[in-house]
């Protein structure tokens, strides 16, 4: 059955083509900080250019004043007064922008400090009190590794579901949605092509051959190319096999998405992007076909005693 689970995951993948972990929040804030800093720098550069231009105009106007009579000098003097009054303000970047850049920088540093301090406190508690820095660093590294492992990508559906804020009943419903989507994909590939081929069987057979060294992954890729070009006989929408499969995947994502919060949707996608590709274990609709095809392969290719 372990081979079956691995095979199911491999097939679906091919069809697709502790302490608080705030790294994503920190990275987002850093990106915001870079964007705001860029805006601030651009505004500052514009301000500097405008200020330099005004100072040049002021110098030119002062030079003109000495060559003009009183009546002609009056508008020049007014213009000069206006420019001198604006030179320290015009073109200056919005002070709110500078404040925003500063606040974002402090928030990024605050989040990092918060994570480090939280880990330090938990490490000390775990050791029953005060500890030397080396021991704290060791425990912090261990806890971080555990957290990373707990949030690492996985195709195991149960592991992924355990990360979500769902009741057991809701987890069971998600599992049923995925099993149903797998069933629909299988049924699509079991529709014979116009020349009578069953692509579901060919895909399983080719994967079995790859596992046993009798075929290459390029042979699988050729089949996937056919999925994208061959149309399903009798399909009223005139879709290719791949079009129909992608439609199943999209509906599955919508069905499950309605059950999950935005946070849980991100967690599930972080575990594995294609939700129909999770390994569900018992009940996988591809299981029976896999067992049938591997028995046929073993019969056709008996091992030398």
């Amino acid at each position: 059955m372990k081979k079956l689970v691995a095979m199911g995951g491999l097939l679906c993948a091919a069809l697709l083509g502790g302490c608080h972990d705030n790294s994503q929040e920190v990275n987002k804030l850093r990106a915001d900080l870079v964007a705001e800093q860029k805006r601030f720098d651009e505004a500052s550069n514009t301000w500097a250019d405008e200020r330099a231009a005004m100072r040049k105009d002021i110098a030119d106007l002062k030079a003109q004043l000495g060559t003009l009579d009183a009546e002609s000098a009056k508008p020049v003097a007014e213009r000069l007064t206006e420019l001198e009054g604006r030179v320290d303000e015009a073109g200056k970047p919005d002070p709110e922008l500078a404040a925003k850049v500063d606040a974002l920088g402090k928030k990024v540093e605050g989040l990092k400090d918060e994570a480090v301090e939280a880990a330090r406190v938990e490490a000390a508690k775990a050791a029953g009190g005060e500890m030397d820095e080396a021991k704290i660093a060791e425990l912090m590294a261990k806890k971080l590794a555990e957290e990373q492992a707990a949030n690492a990508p996985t195709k195991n559906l149960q592991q992924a579901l355990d990360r979500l804020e769902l009741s057991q009943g809701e987890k069971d419903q998600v599992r049923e949605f995925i099993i149903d989507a797998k069933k629909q994909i299988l049924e699509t590939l079991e529709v014979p092509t116009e020349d009578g081929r069953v692509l579901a069987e060919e895909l399983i057979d080719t994967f079995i051959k790859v596992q046993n060294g009798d075929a290459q992954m390029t042979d699988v890729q050729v089949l996937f190319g056919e999925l994208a070009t061959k149309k399903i006989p009798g399909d009223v929408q005139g879709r290719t096999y791949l079009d129909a499969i992608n439609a199943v995947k999209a509906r599955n994502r919508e069905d499950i998405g309605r059950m999950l919060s935005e946070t849980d949707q991100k967690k599930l996608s972080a575990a594995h992007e294609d939700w129909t590709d999770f390994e569900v274990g018992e009940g996988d609709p591809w299981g029976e076909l896999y067992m049938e095809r591997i028995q046929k392969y073993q019969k056709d290719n008996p091992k030398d005693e």
Side-chain angles (χ1 to χ4, degrees), residues 190-265:
E190 287 180 327
V191 176
T193 62
E194 289 185 347
D195 53 357
R197 297 164 58 197
V198 179
L199 296 177
E201 293 180 355
E202 290 190 25
L203 281 167
I204 293 290
D205 290 347
T206 305
F207 276 118
I208 292 173
K209 290 177 181 178
V210 169
Q211 284 185 326
N212 286 275
D214 295 331
Q216 303 295 323
M217 283 303 296
T218 51
D219 298 315
V220 178
Q221 293 167 1
V222 170
L223 283 174
F224 291 145
E226 293 190 75
L227 295 182
T229 57
K230 286 187 175 294
K231 293 191 174 182
I232 305 172
D235 185 77
V236 294
Q237 300 176 51
R239 298 174 299 176
T240 65
Y241 286 90
L242 187 58
D243 289 337
I245 289 170
N246 286 336
V248 172
K249 291 177 181 288
R251 286 195 302 272
N252 177 254
R253 199 172 190 87
E254 290 175 3
D255 290 338
I256 294 176
R258 283 192 290 268
M259 297 179 58
L260 307 182
S261 66
E262 184 175 345
T263 297
D264 277 349
Q265 289 183 46

Side-chain angles (χ1 to χ4, degrees), residues 43-147:
S44 297
N45 291 337
T46 299
W47 168 51
D49 292 343
E50 291 181 359
R51 190 173 182 181
M54 283 191 289
R55 288 195 181 283
K56 182 178 183 303
D57 290 343
I58 288 172
D60 292 343
L61 288 172
K62 285 182 177 180
Q64 289 180 36
L65 281 176
T67 64
L68 300 174
D69 56 39
E71 184 175 350
S72 300
K74 184 176 180 180
V76 175
E78 291 176 349
R79 174 62 176 162
L80 181 60
T81 300
E82 177 190 358
L83 283 175
E84 287 180 331
R86 290 177 50 204
V87 71
D88 290 328
E89 295 297 331
K92 184 178 290 186
D94 187 345
E96 291 184 4
L97 183 57
K100 187 173 183 180
V101 170
D102 184 59
L104 280 170
K106 289 179 179 178
K107 191 169 183 180
V108 169
E109 291 305 315
L111 279 170
K112 291 194 296 184
D113 293 342
E114 174 188 328
V116 170
E117 184 58 28
R120 184 185 300 276
V121 170
E122 287 196 28
K125 286 181 179 179
E130 294 297 326
M131 302 174 56
D132 60 63
E133 289 296 317
K135 188 62 177 177
I136 288 177
E138 179 185 343
L139 289 176
M140 285 171 60
K142 180 180 178 182
K143 189 163 186 63
L144 178 59
E146 291 173 350
E147 288 294 325

Side-chain angles (χ1 to χ4, degrees), residues 22-62:
N22 59 14
S23 59
Q24 289 186 343
E25 187 174 359
V26 171
N27 289 338
K28 182 180 184 304
L29 283 172
R30 280 176 174 159
D32 291 342
L33 177 59
V34 170
E36 293 298 339
Q37 185 67 57
K38 182 179 179 182
R39 287 179 56 203
F40 181 80
D41 291 343
E42 289 174 349
S44 297
N45 291 337
T46 299
W47 168 51
D49 292 343
E50 291 181 359
R51 190 173 182 181
M54 283 191 289
R55 288 195 181 283
K56 182 178 183 303
D57 290 343
I58 288 172
D60 292 343
L61 288 172
K62 285 182 177 180

Side-chain angles (χ1 to χ4, degrees), residues 140-200:
M140 285 171 60
K142 180 180 178 182
K143 189 163 186 63
L144 178 59
E146 291 173 350
E147 288 294 325
Q148 290 176 335
N151 294 285
T154 179
K155 293 174 70 174
N156 183 295
L157 179 60
Q158 189 58 55
Q159 290 179 2
L161 291 177
D162 287 344
R163 302 173 184 177
L164 311 183
E165 296 296 326
L166 296 177
S167 67
Q168 186 57 51
E170 289 170 325
K171 292 177 182 179
D172 292 341
Q173 183 62 62
V174 171
R175 184 174 184 275
E176 287 305 313
F177 275 134
I178 292 175
I179 289 176
D180 185 58
K182 287 175 176 285
K183 188 180 299 182
Q184 292 178 51
I185 291 172
L186 175 58
E187 290 172 350
T188 298
L189 292 173
E190 287 180 327
V191 176
T193 62
E194 289 185 347
D195 53 357
R197 297 164 58 197
V198 179
L199 296 177

